[in-house]
Amino acid sequence: MAVKDRKNIRRLTRALLTGVALCGPLLPAVDALAQSSDSTGYADVVVPEDAKLLLAANELTYDRDSERVIAAGAVQINYAGYQMVARKVEYNQKTGRVLASGNIELVEPGGNRIYAETLDVTDNFADGFVKSLRIETTDNTRMAAESGERVAGTEMILHKGVYTACLPCAEDPKRPPIWQVKAEKVIQNGQKHTVRLEKARFQLFGRTLAVLPFIEVPDNTVKRKTGFLFPEMRTSENLGFGLAVPYYIAIANDRDATITTTGYTSQGVLLEGEYRQRFEKGTVTLRAAGISQLNSDNFTAGTSDAKRDQRGMVASKGDFQINPRWSFGWDVMLQSDNNFARTYDLAGLDQSTHTNQVYLTGIGKRNYFDARAFYFDVQDADSDSTAEKKQPTVLPSIDYSYYAPEPVAGGELSARMNFTTLSRFKQDEESVDTNGDDIDDLMRYRGLEGTMSRMTGEVEWKRSFTVPGGLQLTPLLAARGDAFGLDMNNPTGYAGEYNSDATATRAMLTAGLEARYPILMTTANSTHIIEPIAQIYARNNEQLAGMLPNEDAQSFVFDATSLFERDKFSGYDRVEGGTRANIGVQYTGSFDNGFGLRGIFGQSYHLAGQNSFATDDLVYAGANSGLETDVSDYVAMAGVDMPNGVSLSTSVRLDEKTLELRRTDAAISYSNKRLQSELVFTQLDAQPEYGFTNDNQAVQTSHTLKVNEYWSVFGSLTYDIDDNVFSRRSIGLSYADECTILTVAFSDKYDPDAEVASDWTIAGRLTFRTLGDIRLGSSE
């Protein structure tokens, strides 16, 4: 074949591929077919110069007189990853038109498939016509039209188009999909890069739910475009029904914004704005929201929700990766009152306590640095913000840890440092009735008004040996020092002794030894490891014990997980002193039939010196903990994992004399392909000096049942046994298939001590894949 003939065939092929592929950009899910665009704005099929063409046909004719190239009979074309079949293909050089007919099918390199009955296109791709068009993408998005035409090289028009992201019914392909959009005309503008659906009808199960004069969306060549997003519906007890309409603004490649207007039937119009900008090494977000409430008296009288008509907030969040090791960021919010963001369910800002913070973090191979400043925004309806004023403002908290790269005396040497400065605007105190006679006889101080600074430094060395017979020994040496700067009000009425000096120092030296003797036992169908563990730590007494503020070591639970901790306090403000021994046994078992067992049992002994847990501080952190006596309560943990999906676990603390239960945490869960279920029981004896004056028993349960392939139901309950009340309840229904997701849930909560905007909420979400979401409240 002559060179000129081969060029004509290549031109024919390029025209065919482009002509059929031009239909692709009409689908948002279809990948772009090209890397460049012609002057009309439409993409062209770009192939390498050395791409090989494979053409097969029953008959190939080149008529030089009429200047036509004709391929007829089972035409197959493979070119640069594209595959095309048709019954007949003709290229007329005089008229510059390409004609193809008979079951045309084009498979793109990405896997998308385009079908047509006939194709008539000019060789400059400016004008063309296609009949019986159908498009199927790799993500199961589908579009069909009776006919389509390209006009003046700027528009592609489909007549009587149908769009859906649902698969056809396997049993009855003629049955309408779950949802589809029908339009009289579908117009893609290659210059504006938009797709306009005229006289659009949204259908669900074949029935029309909505009719719109037109819908205009960006085509697949546009990643972001200014315009309205799918609306969101919300409802709650005191706000009424709300409809949120978001408007998206594409400012530049690295900047965009969203403005949302929400109309509430009870409270009026809420305006929200969010600005986002991306930098080379991070992102920044700015948000603002505000409302003028129409019916503030809907809320409980005297609350911050009811007292203010004009409410609003501003917030910002930033995250930057300065280099591979260092990161910097912030998350801050300022609002008109202490409950606005929570009342109006502003996404990401509606926590019961929003933690405002600024941070700088560095991570190395052997060291770690973290500096943070905190302000805790307690979101409740207390108009005086009492709880928030009692929270400390931390400026800053700095942590640093280091591990020596080489062994020191054969062991591991590590160091850590913490520096904390905090201030509190209001004293956080609580009076407690410890005798049950309705007379408060004890004061707890969770925080004092004023400023406290503390610097802590600690060095630790430890090394592990395995002696003949399998005994593992780990000696340990540690030294710690603390320096305090105090400018806080003295606690009035405190029963213990308090250090009123402006400065204070303390030191702790520790020498310890841990011994483990793992015993391995095997049978024909199981493996068991029993490991007796004994520890002893010799230390000086805790200096100034109970005489200093306790800000970060208030939360204290003695159980099997903390039995073998060298310092069982949860923070730096308290440090465990005196000589103590911890003794216990750890067990792990596995069976060939899939069963697994695990357990810990042990006890702690105060041997000499001052018992830190029997020394009261401002919050009575060690009181009723099980460690306040020389011989501690027993702690145990056991768990069973079964091959059928059942898992059992329990953790208990038993009185060391009477073996009565002091604390119980038990859980049973089950999981398989259809059901996920969990039941949790918690029992805690009263700890009057620690602030819990009553016994507490509660049951929590949550379940998710998959009814069939698509439908699921879920729910949860929290039952307070002592008060005989359901404190939380929720139930919901969900549906999910390849193109549609539906979630509807109802929840309510009971808290007699809290003021909230709503006791119950209804949340829902309806997602049509590739189209967007319709939300009712928050379904998270």
Side-chain angles (χ1 to χ4, degrees):
M1 182 178 293
V3 174
K4 182 177 180 181
D5 298 343
R6 290 198 296 269
K7 288 183 177 180
N8 283 324
I9 292 175
R10 284 181 179 272
R11 185 172 179 82
L12 159 67
T13 304
R14 183 167 172 267
L16 281 172
L17 296 178
T18 302
V20 181
L22 282 174
C23 304
L26 289 165
L27 281 179
V30 179
D31 294 332
L33 301 173
Q35 304 301 321
S36 63
S37 299
D38 58 23
S39 60
T40 66
Y42 276 96
D44 188 13
V45 176
V46 176
V47 297
E49 290 293 333
D50 59 348
K52 294 183 178 180
L53 167 68
L54 299 177
L55 172 64
N58 292 340
E59 181 179 335
L60 180 61
T61 304
Y62 179 65
D63 189 337
R64 285 185 172 83
D65 295 332
S66 60
E67 297 187 35
R68 293 188 303 165
V69 179
I70 303 171
V75 179
Q76 299 182 38
I77 300 173
N78 289 275
Y79 188 43
Y82 291 85
Q83 302 176 37
M84 180 177 174
V85 297
R87 290 181 182 174
K88 183 179 179 180
V89 176
E90 178 180 333
Y91 174 40
N92 190 318
Q93 287 180 274
K94 289 183 177 180
T95 62
R97 302 196 73 85
V98 179
L99 303 174
S101 61
N103 297 330
I104 302 171
E105 178 181 350
L106 173 68
V107 181
E108 302 172 357
N112 297 328
R113 294 177 178 269
I114 302 173
Y115 304 88
E117 184 59 34
T118 61
L119 173 69
D120 182 350
V121 64
T122 58
D123 60 2
N124 65 354
F125 323 123
D127 298 281
F129 182 83
V130 63
K131 186 177 180 181
S132 299
L133 173 68
R134 183 162 53 93
I135 305 170
E136 297 178 359
T137 69
T138 54
D139 67 345
N140 295 323
T141 304
R142 287 164 163 74
M143 188 169 187
E146 289 188 359
S147 62
E149 58 182 316
R150 190 177 187 191
V151 180
T154 59
E155 290 186 337
M156 183 70 185
I157 303 175
L158 300 186
H159 300 278
K160 294 186 178 180
V162 180
Y163 170 78
T164 185
C166 301
L167 292 173
C169 178
E171 299 177 356
D172 184 7
K174 295 182 179 180
R175 181 187 301 174
I178 293 178
W179 65 265
Q180 62 184 1
V181 179
K182 291 186 174 182
E184 289 294 318
K185 284 186 179 182
V186 182
I187 305 171
Q188 185 205 18
N189 190 303
Q191 294 178 331
K192 296 181 179 179
H193 297 284
T194 59
V195 176
R196 182 184 177 94
L197 291 83
E198 295 187 347
K199 296 182 180 179
R201 291 174 293 156
F202 180 82
Q203 295 186 338
L204 194 65
F205 298 107
R207 298 184 178 275
T208 300
L209 294 185
V211 178
L212 298 172
F214 71 90
I215 301 174
E216 187 170 281
V217 297
D219 67 20
N220 74 300
T221 64
V222 178
K223 294 183 179 180
R224 305 178 306 151
K225 187 175 179 62
T226 298
F228 287 99
L229 304 178
F230 263 73
E232 175 182 342
M233 290 176 285
R234 306 171 180 175
T235 186
S236 66
E237 185 177 3
N238 295 326
L239 306 181
F241 176 80
L243 180 65
V245 181
Y247 185 78
Y248 177 79
I249 304 172
I251 302 172
N253 290 334
D254 60 344
R255 287 166 288 168
D256 59 17
T258 304
I259 298 175
T260 304
T261 303
T262 305
Y264 286 102
T265 55
S266 295
Q267 299 300 341
V269 178
L270 172 71
L271 291 177
E272 300 176 65
E274 182 174 358
Y275 171 83
R276 299 167 290 269
Q277 183 165 356
R278 184 179 66 252
F279 298 89
E280 181 179 356
K281 295 185 182 254
T283 60
V284 171
T285 301
L286 300 175
R287 297 179 63 181
I291 190 173
S292 177
Q293 294 183 157
L294 298 180
N295 298 291
S296 298
D297 53 359
N298 280 9
F299 300 103
T300 303
T303 64
S304 56
D305 293 309
K307 282 191 172 183
R308 282 182 176 267
D309 294 334
Q310 312 297 325
R311 308 178 71 185
M313 74 88 200
V314 292
S316 177
K317 186 175 183 180
D319 292 289
F320 289 87
Q321 191 70 35
I322 302 172
N323 57 39
R325 293 189 176 186
W326 288 93
S327 60
F328 168 74
W330 66 86
D331 183 357
V332 296
M333 176 180 67
L334 177 66
Q335 52 184 342
S336 58
D337 58 88
N338 61 332
N339 206 38
F340 170 69
R342 187 167 175 82
T343 298
Y344 285 92
D345 196 24
L346 302 184
L349 302 173
D350 57 350
Q351 310 94 333
S352 58
T353 300
H354 179 77
T355 302
N356 296 275
Q357 63 174 311
V358 180
Y359 70 88
L360 174 65
T361 301
I363 302 176
K365 292 182 179 180
R366 307 289 298 181
N367 55 4
Y368 170 79
F369 175 89
D370 184 80
R372 293 174 186 264
F374 297 98
Y375 180 83
F376 301 99
D377 190 343
V378 179
Q379 301 199 77
D380 59 20
D382 178 7
S383 59
D384 295 327
S385 301
T386 304
E388 183 173 318
K389 293 176 182 177
K390 292 180 178 180
Q391 295 297 312
T393 300
V394 182
L395 294 170
S397 175
I398 300 174
D399 286 285
Y400 178 78
S401 61
Y402 171 80
Y403 292 85
E406 300 293 337
V408 176
E412 181 186 69
L413 180 67
S414 63
R416 61 174 180 165
M417 181 275 292
N418 174 266
F419 175 75
T420 298
T421 295
L422 60 84
S423 297
R424 184 178 279 99
F425 302 106
K426 185 178 179 61
Q427 184 165 281
D428 186 1
E429 61 185 15
E430 176 187 26
S431 57
V432 180
D433 171 19
T434 62
N435 299 318
D437 55 6
D438 295 328
I439 300 175
D440 295 335
D441 54 0
L442 182 144
M443 292 292 294
R444 298 179 71 246
Y445 297 86
R446 289 175 294 213
L448 300 177
E449 183 178 344
T451 300
M452 182 197 81
S453 299
R454 176 187 38 76
M455 170 70 79
T456 298
E458 184 176 48
V459 178
E460 180 187 80
W461 174 90
K462 62 182 179 181
R463 180 180 180 182
S464 294
F465 300 88
T466 302
V467 301
L471 179 65
Q472 296 178 353
L473 298 176
T474 303
L476 176 146
L477 297 173
R480 167 176 164 169
D482 300 273
F484 290 82
L486 302 172
D487 184 15
M488 310 186 87
N489 294 345
N490 292 339
T492 56
Y494 177 47
E497 185 179 356
Y498 179 75
N499 176 72
S500 58
D501 295 337
T503 61
T505 59
R506 68 186 180 190
M508 181 64 64
L509 299 176
T510 303
L513 178 65
E514 178 185 87
R516 294 172 177 256
Y517 191 73
I519 303 170
L520 174 64
M521 297 185 296
T522 60
T523 67
N525 58 7
S526 64
T527 301
H528 307 267
I529 299 176
I530 300 175
E531 188 176 27
I533 303 173
Q535 298 173 327
I536 186 168
Y537 297 108
R539 297 167 289 216
N540 57 285
N541 292 336
E542 180 187 6
Q543 297 171 346
L544 299 174
M547 300 172 62
L548 298 169
N550 179 2
E551 294 284 351
D552 68 353
Q554 298 184 11
S555 176
F556 180 72
V557 175
F558 175 50
D559 58 16
T561 62
S562 60
L563 172 63
F564 298 111
E565 292 290 333
R566 172 165 65 90
D567 187 344
K568 296 178 176 58
F569 283 112
S570 58
Y572 289 99
D573 287 340
R574 291 294 307 269
V575 56
E576 184 178 344
T579 300
R580 178 172 292 276
N582 304 310
I583 297 177
V585 61
Q586 185 171 278
Y587 165 77
T588 304
S590 61
F591 297 81
D592 293 346
N593 59 6
F595 276 81
L597 303 176
R598 61 191 183 277
I600 297 176
F601 177 81
Q603 198 173 24
S604 183
Y605 302 87
H606 176 71
L607 302 180
Q610 183 181 13
N611 185 349
S612 294
F613 302 104
T615 305
D616 295 335
D617 63 13
L618 293 175
V619 294
Y620 296 86
N624 315 118
S625 64
L627 286 168
E628 70 275 12
T629 55
D630 288 343
V631 180
S632 78
D633 288 347
Y634 295 100
V635 291
M637 183 274 289
V640 181
D641 298 314
M642 304 181 188
N644 61 359
V646 176
S647 179
L648 299 169
S649 64
T650 184
S651 176
V652 297
R653 178 164 65 88
L654 305 171
D655 186 276
E656 53 97 8
K657 293 181 180 179
T658 65
L659 297 183
E660 292 183 13
L661 284 172
R662 296 303 182 197
R663 183 185 179 96
T664 305
D665 295 284
I668 178 172
S669 63
Y670 175 73
S671 177
N672 63 14
K673 293 182 179 180
R674 293 192 60 186
L675 176 64
Q676 291 184 341
S677 182
E678 183 178 38
L679 178 67
V680 178
F681 169 74
T682 302
Q683 172 266 329
L684 179 63
D685 269 7
Q687 296 177 265
E689 294 180 348
Y690 194 48
F692 296 102
T693 56
N694 299 314
D695 293 342
N696 186 286
Q697 298 180 92
V699 176
Q700 295 176 297
T701 181
S702 61
H703 310 275
T704 300
L705 174 64
K706 193 169 184 179
V707 179
N708 55 33
E709 184 179 359
Y710 305 113
W711 289 97
S712 298
V713 293
F714 56 89
S716 65
L717 284 172
T718 299
Y719 176 64
D720 189 322
I721 298 175
D722 300 293
D723 291 340
N724 190 26
V725 65
F726 288 100
S727 55
R728 289 181 180 270
R729 295 176 293 183
S730 69
I731 188 170
L733 179 71
S734 68
Y735 173 89
D737 61 21
E738 79 284 350
C739 65
T740 308
I741 299 174
L742 169 66
T743 302
V744 179
F746 169 86
S747 64
D748 72 344
K749 55 187 176 182
Y750 170 79
D751 187 350
D753 298 324
E755 297 288 354
V756 294
S758 303
D759 293 326
W760 59 264
T761 58
I762 297 175
R765 178 179 180 182
L766 180 59
T767 302
F768 301 110
R769 188 171 66 86
T770 74
L771 287 184
D773 292 347
I774 299 176
R775 293 175 180 264
L776 176 64
S778 174
S779 59
E780 299 300 330

